[in-house]
Amino acid sequence: MKFSSNFISATRKYNTYFEHVSAPLFRKSFTVEKEIDSAQITICGLGFYKLYINGKDITKGMLAPYISNPDHIMYYDSYNIAPLLRKGKNVIGIILGNGMLNCPGGAVWEFEKARWRSAPKVALTVEMKFLDGTEEEFEADETFKVSESPIWFDDIRSGCFYNALKEQDGWNTADFDDSDWDNAFFCEIPRGEMRLCEADPIVGAGRIEPVAITKGKLVDYEPERKLHWTSLEIPETTEGHIFDFGVNTAGVYEFKISGAKPGTRIEFFTSETLDSNGDLDTYNFAKFFPKYYGQRCIYICKGGEESFIPDFTYMGYRYVLVTGLEDAQVSKDTLTYIVAHTRLQEMGGFNCSDETANTIEKMAFIANYSNFFYFPTDCPHREKNGWTGDAALSAEQMIINLSVENSYKEWLRNIRKAMADNGALPGIVPTGGWGYEWGGGPAWDAVLAFLPYYTYIYRGDKDIIKENTTAFLRYLDFIYSIRDERGLVAYGLGDWVQPERNAGDPTCPLIVTDSITCMTICEKIAYMFKEIGMMPQYTMANTLYNELRDAIRTHLVDFNTMTVFSDTQTAYAMAVYYGVLEKAEIPFAVKRLTELVHQAGDVFDTGALGGRCVFHVLADGGYADLAYKMISGPAFPSYGYWIEQGYTALCESFHLKGFESLNHHFWGDVSSWYFQQVAGIRVNPNRDDVTRIDIRPNFIESLTYAEGWHNLVNGKVFVRWDKNGDTATIKINLPEGCHGYLTLPSDWMIKSDNRKYNALKFAELKTVTEFTAIKIK
C-alpha cells in the first residue's frame, strides 16, 4: 500500500457562494495485458470522493474518506480492485466534492478562511501484481482527464445542486470517448500526515416513507443572519408539497420522477419543524447561511425515468418542502428518507414498562445516530461540527450503547493534532483555527480524557490510552498554567443551556464547574497512567488532582454549613459525582440537593454539565424515584416535556426559543442512567476488572419491569427485573468469565436458601438465573 503525494486537480477555482464551481470528474484509462494476481488502489480524495472502477461505484460510504483538517491529517482509503479489472482496457472514474477542503457553509466558524482552502484534489496509487510474478503501478498525474460534472454546487452544510441535463452517460466506463476532456494538473500538496482511515464508514442505515404529504411553503422571514450575503441561486418559488417523515433524524433522500419536461427545476428545502400554519420553518439554522443556502438542494430534470440522491452533503430533518411538482407527480414514492450515520453496532439497550421512558431511550438513540458522522457532532443541520464538550458529556452513554471505539480512536488523532503549542484545545475538531479563544474550556477539553477513559473502562483497551499519553502531559501543563492564585480554574464555557437562562449565563459559576472538571480530568489521567505502568506520570497527574481537590475544598466548600459555593443543583451534583466530598460528607450534600430540587418544584435546574451528574447523584443517594420523576414527568423542564411538545429526538435545550437544535445528543446520558440506575448494570465498577459486572437495580415505584443489556468484551450481559407490589424477581445472565455482586436498595432484601441478603456474590451465570427479592416493611 502506497500513499501517493502526487495530488492533481481539475481547476484552480474553488466553489463559493458568489461563484459556483462544478464538482470535477476525473478519468484514467489503462490497459491490463496479463493475468492479475492482486490489485489495489489507495486514494486520498479531498474534500470528498466517489470512486468507480469500470463503471462500478466502490466507494466505502458517504463523505469518504473522512472529515478532517487536511493540514493535520490526510486520509487515504484502500480497495481491492482485482475482481473488477479485466484484460484489455480499464478505467478509473472519480468525482470530487468540496468537503472540508472548501466549505463555505462553515463561515460562521471561519472555515472559509482556512489556509488549506482550495479546489478539490486527488492523489492515488494503483498497484498490480501479475501471475507471472511481475508488478506494475502508477499514480495520479497529468495524463488523467478532467471535466465538469452535473453537480454545479456542493457543500456539506448547504446542499447539492445537480443538473441532469449535463450528465455524460458512461463517463466512468472504459469505452467512453474523453478526447474533448482536459488534462489534470499537479497542484499543491496538503501539509497533513498521510494515514489510512480506520474509522467506520458512513452508510445508509435505512429508508423511511413519508407519513403525510401536505401543501405548504417556506416561511418567509429574514432572520438575524450571521452572514449577510446575496444569494446567487434564488428559488423560482417557495411553495410546494411538504413531506413529513415522522421522525427527526439525519441523512439524505432519494427523489424519483418520471416523464418530467427536460429542464424542469425541482428544489428541496429541509427542516426539523413546521410553523403553526403548517409551513416549513428553518429559523433554527437558516441564520447560519446566506438566504436559501441552508440544507437546500436543486435538481434539473432531464426527462424519462430519473432519480436523485444528493452527494457530498447530508441533512438533519423531519420535513422536506419540494417545489416544482404538479399534484399528479406527487406520491409517497416521490421522496424517500435515507437515514445515514457512521456504521455502528448497537452494544446496549434498555426497556421498561413505562412507554415514556422507552420513548426517551429511543430519542437518545436517534440523537446519537443523527449526530455521529465519523465522530460525535453537535447537530446534523446547521453546524455538523465536532464539538468536544458534547462528546465529553456523551462519552460514557455512547460507549455503552454503540460500537464507537474505532471512531473515538480516529477522532482523538485529530484532537491531538489540533492541540495548540501551550496545550490548549479548540472547542471544535476539526477546526481551521476557530475555537481557541471562545467555544471551549475544561468541560470541552475533557474529551481528551473522557473518550479513552470510558473506552478503557468498558472495553479494556489500553492502546487508546497509550496513544494519548503525550497529549495528556501537555494538557496537564496547560491546567498548571491557567490556575489562579488559589489554585482554581475559571476558563471558557460553563454549565451550558440551563433552563430559563441565557446559554452562557448559568447560576453555577465557572469557578465551580471548571475547577471540578479540571480535577476529574486529572484524576482520570492519573488513573490511566497507572493502568499502563507510567508511574512518574501518574504521580504528576495525581499531585495536580490532589492540589485541585484541596483548593476546591478550601475555597468552594463551607464545611460549617456543609454548602458548596453558589448553593446550586449543579454545584452539589458535580461535587458529589466527581468526588470532591468525602464519603461522610456526601449525605449532607445530597440532602441540600434534594431541598433545592423540591424548591424548584421537583425539577432539575442545571445546565448540561450539572445534568450529566444530578440524576446519578440522586439515585445513588436513595432518591431514584425522584430522579425518575424529574426525567420522565411532563412538567417543564424534563425529557417528558420534550415528548409532550412532539419532538422525536433529544434537543439542545429545554427552554426552546426557536433557534435551538431539535436533535442534540449531549443530554443523552439519561440513557446511561436508565442502564445503570434502573436496570442496574454496572460494568467494571471498581475500575480494576472489566469482567466484573455488578447489578444494582432501583425498583422504581411506577414501573412493573425493567431490563437492560450490554455486549461486554467477552459476551452479553442481560438483566431483567419484574415487580409485583413488595416482591420482585431479578433475572441475570452473564457471559463466561464474568462475576460480580447483586446489590439491592436498602429497603429490599434477596431471598436465597431461606436466608435474606442485601447483597449477593455471583459468578458465571451462563444461563438466566433468577433471584427473588422482598421489600422490607
Side-chain angles (χ1 to χ4, degrees):
M1 183 187 307
K2 180 178 179 180
F3 296 155
S4 172
S5 60
N6 289 345
F7 280 86
I8 58 173
S9 189
T11 177
R12 289 182 173 83
K13 284 186 177 182
Y14 54 76
N15 186 59
T16 71
Y17 285 129
F18 315 109
E19 182 179 6
H20 297 345
V21 178
S22 295
L25 301 177
F26 292 75
R27 276 177 53 87
K28 172 60 178 179
S29 297
F30 61 101
T31 301
V32 175
E33 297 179 342
K34 304 176 183 180
E35 294 292 336
I36 289 178
D37 181 32
S38 66
Q40 67 175 343
I41 184 170
T42 304
I43 181 171
C44 176
L46 299 175
F48 300 137
Y49 72 85
K50 293 183 72 174
L51 174 63
Y52 302 83
I53 302 295
N54 290 329
K56 181 176 177 60
D57 185 351
I58 65 169
T59 319
K60 67 179 183 182
M62 296 170 56
L63 313 183
Y66 194 73
I67 298 173
S68 68
N69 173 338
D71 278 356
H72 289 160
I73 301 177
M74 297 183 292
Y75 281 100
Y76 290 72
D77 291 320
S78 188
Y79 300 88
N80 172 22
I81 60 173
L84 301 174
L85 299 183
R86 53 182 179 247
K87 267 192 171 183
K89 195 172 182 182
N90 294 268
V91 70
I92 299 167
I94 303 165
I95 312 175
L96 294 184
N98 287 295
M100 284 298 297
L101 194 65
N102 171 38
C103 52
V108 169
W109 307 276
E110 300 180 352
F111 283 111
E112 91 288 2
K113 299 177 182 177
R115 69 173 185 170
W116 67 73
R117 190 178 186 188
S118 73
K121 59 187 69 174
V122 63
L124 62 83
T125 305
V126 173
E127 299 168 277
M128 295 179 287
K129 294 182 180 180
F130 302 101
L131 291 177
D132 65 2
T134 60
E135 299 181 6
E136 183 179 336
E137 72 173 48
F138 62 86
E139 300 179 39
D141 59 21
E142 293 167 312
T143 66
F144 276 59
K145 307 293 286 186
V146 297
S147 182
E148 292 184 352
S149 77
I151 299 172
W152 86 87
F153 173 90
D154 71 271
D155 178 78
I156 189 174
R157 295 175 178 85
S158 288
C160 173
F161 301 169
Y162 188 97
N163 187 348
L165 294 172
K166 293 189 175 183
E167 291 179 351
Q168 301 182 60
D169 292 339
W171 71 271
N172 53 11
T173 59
D175 295 330
F176 180 81
D177 180 6
D178 60 12
S179 58
D180 63 346
W181 284 31
D182 296 325
N183 286 87
F185 57 86
F186 288 115
C187 58
E188 182 181 5
I189 302 170
R191 303 168 184 84
E193 171 193 353
M194 295 184 288
R195 66 170 293 113
L196 188 71
C197 184
E198 298 176 12
D200 296 309
I202 297 169
V203 296
R207 289 179 170 242
I208 305 173
E209 292 184 350
V211 297
I213 305 172
T214 58
K215 292 256 186 105
K217 65 180 185 298
L218 185 66
V219 176
D220 185 18
Y221 58 80
E222 182 63 22
E224 184 181 343
R225 294 187 180 276
K226 294 178 181 290
L227 301 177
H228 298 283
W229 295 342
T230 301
S231 298
L232 191 61
E233 290 286 349
I234 304 298
E236 295 177 354
T237 178
T238 57
E239 296 184 4
H241 298 83
I242 295 177
F243 292 74
D244 176 4
F245 290 95
V247 61
N248 183 21
T249 180
V252 288
Y253 40 75
E254 182 175 19
F255 168 68
K256 293 182 179 180
I257 193 169
S258 177
K261 181 180 178 181
T264 300
R265 181 183 178 108
I266 311 297
E267 302 209 19
F268 308 84
F269 303 86
T270 60
S271 79
E272 297 187 292
T273 188
L274 304 179
D275 73 359
S276 58
N277 296 318
D279 293 323
L280 199 78
D281 188 351
T282 61
Y283 181 78
N284 68 336
F285 64 85
K287 68 177 182 177
F288 285 73
F289 306 97
K291 193 172 184 179
Y292 303 126
Y293 273 78
Q295 296 203 144
R296 173 199 183 192
C297 293
I298 302 173
Y299 181 74
I300 307 297
C301 297
K302 62 182 177 181
E305 297 282 343
E306 48 193 318
S307 66
F308 167 60
I309 300 175
D311 278 323
F312 308 130
T313 188
Y314 73 97
M315 287 76 74
Y317 69 96
R318 172 176 172 172
Y319 303 95
V320 185
L321 169 65
V322 183
T323 69
L325 293 176
E326 302 293 336
D327 289 349
Q329 296 174 304
V330 176
S331 73
K332 65 180 181 63
D333 298 321
T334 301
L335 203 67
T336 303
Y337 204 135
I338 302 176
V339 179
H341 51 72
T342 292
R343 187 177 64 202
L344 301 170
Q345 301 297 316
E346 289 192 12
M347 299 294 286
F350 170 83
N351 183 57
C352 70
S353 59
D354 180 7
E355 279 309 306
T356 296
N358 294 338
T359 300
I360 293 168
E361 173 81 349
K362 181 179 180 182
M363 292 165 71
F365 268 83
I366 290 172
N368 286 343
Y369 279 128
S370 303
N371 290 283
F372 215 108
F373 281 71
Y374 291 126
F375 45 79
T377 61
D378 70 326
C379 56
H381 38 75
R382 63 174 183 239
E383 298 198 33
K384 301 179 171 72
N385 283 322
W387 278 93
T388 52
D390 300 44
L393 287 164
S394 283
E396 184 175 19
Q397 65 94 357
M398 282 194 175
I399 201 76
I400 288 171
N401 288 320
L402 300 168
S403 59
V404 294
E405 50 269 32
N406 286 341
S407 297
Y408 277 180
K409 281 186 176 182
E410 199 66 75
W411 192 40
L412 278 163
R413 294 180 182 114
N414 291 265
I415 291 171
R416 296 194 298 271
K417 291 284 188 180
M419 182 175 272
D421 291 341
N422 67 348
L425 288 168
I428 60 172
V429 176
T431 179
W434 187 93
Y436 294 94
E437 298 299 324
W438 186 94
W444 278 246
D445 303 344
V447 71
L448 179 66
F450 284 18
L451 296 191
Y453 172 80
Y454 285 112
T455 300
Y456 177 63
I457 292 296
Y458 284 88
R459 303 286 193 266
D461 180 4
K462 289 186 178 180
D463 288 342
I464 195 171
I465 298 176
K466 294 174 182 177
E467 291 174 4
N468 289 282
T469 52
T470 300
F472 291 162
L473 291 171
R474 293 178 64 196
Y475 191 73
L476 293 177
D477 285 341
F478 178 68
I479 292 178
Y480 272 112
S481 73
I482 60 175
R483 290 189 299 170
D484 65 17
E485 67 281 358
R486 298 173 297 171
L488 301 174
V489 177
Y491 160 76
L493 304 178
D495 195 22
W496 198 246
V497 290
Q498 182 177 348
E500 298 187 301
R501 305 277 298 187
N502 290 330
D505 183 31
T507 55
C508 186
L510 200 60
I511 198 76
V512 174
T513 54
D514 271 7
S515 297
I516 293 176
T517 299
C518 284
M519 181 199 77
T520 194
I521 290 172
C522 292
E523 191 280 329
K524 288 175 171 57
I525 288 176
Y527 164 79
M528 288 187 282
F529 277 140
K530 190 174 184 180
E531 286 297 293
I532 60 173
M534 296 180 65
M535 298 312 293
Q537 293 83 354
Y538 158 76
T539 299
M540 173 189 173
N542 195 55
T543 298
L544 182 53
Y545 157 70
N546 283 313
E547 289 177 2
L548 284 161
R549 186 171 185 266
D550 289 345
I552 294 166
R553 288 174 62 82
T554 299
H555 299 291
L556 299 180
V557 180
D558 186 338
F559 291 100
N560 294 318
T561 60
M562 285 308 302
T563 54
V564 181
F565 181 66
S566 74
D567 195 37
T568 58
Q569 289 186 25
T570 290
Y572 292 105
M574 292 185 69
V576 173
Y577 190 78
Y578 292 120
V580 170
L581 303 178
E582 299 291 343
K583 185 175 181 180
E585 298 160 354
I586 290 174
F588 296 97
V590 174
K591 180 176 181 294
R592 180 56 185 154
L593 174 60
T594 58
E595 290 172 353
L596 292 171
V597 169
H598 292 321
Q599 289 174 17
D602 285 355
V603 298
F604 64 91
D605 188 20
T606 73
L609 304 187
R612 171 67 177 83
C613 308
V614 65
F615 307 120
H616 288 283
V617 169
L618 288 171
D620 287 341
Y623 296 93
D625 281 290
L626 175 60
Y628 189 88
K629 175 186 175 183
M630 293 162 65
I631 292 167
S632 300
F636 170 88
S638 71
Y639 294 78
Y641 172 78
W642 280 337
I643 296 174
E644 291 290 315
Q645 304 307 302
Y647 301 127
T648 62
L650 302 185
C651 301
E652 180 180 8
S653 174
F654 292 89
H655 60 285
L656 297 167
K657 300 177 181 178
F659 53 80
E660 296 90 353
S661 164
L662 305 182
N663 195 338
H664 244 66
H665 67 82
F666 71 4
W667 288 98
D669 189 72
V670 64
S671 177
S672 163
W673 189 87
Y674 287 142
F675 174 84
Q676 297 187 72
Q677 300 288 358
V678 182
I681 302 172
R682 307 293 182 97
V683 178
N684 196 3
N686 295 332
R687 307 195 305 180
D688 59 358
D689 183 358
V690 75
T691 66
R692 175 170 171 175
I693 315 298
D694 283 5
I695 309 301
R696 306 177 199 166
N698 282 290
F699 301 126
I700 302 300
E701 186 67 29
S702 60
L703 299 183
T704 59
Y705 79 86
E707 61 185 24
W709 64 275
H710 180 66
N711 284 333
L712 305 165
V713 292
N714 55 342
K716 180 178 179 179
V717 59
F718 172 81
V719 175
R720 177 184 171 109
W721 57 259
D722 291 86
K723 178 168 60 70
N724 185 6
D726 293 339
T727 303
T729 58
I730 307 106
K731 297 176 182 177
I732 303 172
N733 183 215
L734 291 183
E736 183 176 355
C738 287
H739 61 99
Y741 283 85
L742 170 62
T743 304
L744 300 187
S746 59
D747 55 346
W748 285 80
M749 300 292 286
I750 305 165
K751 290 178 64 177
S752 180
D753 300 327
N754 295 318
R755 300 175 65 183
K756 298 177 181 178
Y757 309 85
N758 182 252
L760 187 67
K761 186 176 182 179
F762 54 79
E764 295 190 20
L765 304 176
K766 298 176 186 177
T767 59
V768 175
T769 303
E770 185 172 306
F771 299 90
T772 301
I774 57 173
K775 191 171 186 178
I776 302 171
K777 300 292 186 181

